[in-house]
Amino acid sequence: MSTVDTLRESWATRTGFILAAVGSAVGLGNIWRFPFQVGQEGGAAFLLMYLFFILLIGLPAMLVEFTIGRRTNLNAVGALRKIGGRTWQYAGALFVFVGFVILSYYSVIGGWVLRYFTGSITGGYTADSEAYFFEIATGFDTLLFHAIFMAITVGIVALGIQKGIELAVKLMVPSIIAIMVGLAIYAVTLPGGAEGYTYYLSPDFDVLASDWQSIVPAAAGQAFFTLSLGMGVMITYASYLSTDRNLAEDSGVIIGFDTGIAILTGLIVFPILFAAGLDAADPGAGAIFIALAGAFAEIQYGLVLGVLFFGMFSIAALSSAISLLEVVVSFAVDEYGLQRPVATALIGGGIFILGVPVALVSDGGNPIVIDLYDILAAEILLITGGILVMVLMAWFNPNLAVTELSKGIGRLGILGSLWIWLVRIPVIVVLLISLGLALVGYYEFLVDEFIPFVRG
Ligand code: PHE
């Protein structure tokens, strides 16, 4: 163990760490999941609930994960074992499992994004964007693009922390931000776009009152998913910190960027949809692809926008995918002493295989396995993982948590206790309620949709 410890890498710079965490947070969750949840779950009312959860749950949870990682300098499994004892390593094992599940469908969607990027260059989706989506959503070609996406992810992670992940995110994250801001400015100039802003920013509280059972777990799940919490990414990334930084400040910066980008995505997507005269509330995994490709085919300079948008989208998906893979790879490297390139290739291959049904099974063109994996991972497993780490730190190791957080900040005083108590009761209670509702929702999905589909 000690030889592995001394060889363990660390981030070269503070910016490297922050950019990696921002790169992990900003991804399909912001661009694919977020806008259409806003559309489906009551527009700005969902937005408010989501922002509330980001602050109430996201921030304290990120601090918990960061303190665990920096304290132990270990992968998620090793870190939980070191802090909580042997039984807690199974919570870490859950993280590794969730990393497998999420990346397996994340990569299939990442493959779609790459496909749309090439489609923008060739004009492939302009004729009929709906038909195009159903053509590429499942099938052998989908598998090919899934393989390409996984191969790029494996390539970056295999190069290690400084030469792989840190270098990649230094190029990727600034490009994402620059393109997003450019697109948002362009969207302001679109004739007919104003209605899009109204739709996006005017709350419908009736929907919140009547549908809270689905909105609460959706908003909590989205808060976890978008901040890459509940599965050890932030534990793992913080484990490569060598000196003591102000973790509260870093969390603020990371959350600020992630939330800013999610909000910006809405400011791009909704005006573009309305300018092209499309229905924004049309739900489903394919919605953003069909709607945006349709819009890009309609509006002036649409294909140039398509190249920029899907190019940016591919980069954002990749910078998150590398963090998912890193959780599993760091586990294999720390715990079993495997060589990083070997571990990365083997694990990447395993995840690719788990994604095969996602890429191939279609319910009349609809990639139904995505829902099976996504609801399970984002609404059930991430929240479970979140509850576990919060119990471990806030209930069983509060002094350690406060001491670790105060490094690089100074005495926390009352704020330290406030953080611990916020996590101990309100955060854990909200998460338990969300988990309960999500379990009911998933059961309904299985009984009403998935099982009838499997039976044919
Ligand atoms: N945060 C990423 C996104 O929004 C997804 C992700 C979830 C990455 C969990 C890592 C862990 O796309």
Side-chain angles (χ1 to χ4, degrees), residues 16 56 79 83 93 105 114 133 137 156 179 197 229 233 246 248 323 352 447:
L56 176 82
I83 290 184
Y105 71 90
L114 287 178
F133 175 77
I156 297 172
I179 298 176
Y197 295 114
L229 294 171
V233 166
N246 183 332
S323 72
F352 169 77
V447 171

Side-chain angles (χ1 to χ4, degrees), residues 23-31 102 106 222 224-229 231 233 258 316-317 320-321 323-324 327 382:
S24 170
V26 174
L28 297 176
N30 305 61
I31 303 162
I102 296 188
Y106 207 89
Q222 177 64 10
F224 263 73
F225 190 87
T226 191
L227 295 176
S228 305
L229 294 171
M231 59 144 295
V233 166
D258 184 71
S320 301
S323 72
L324 285 159
V327 171
L382 289 185

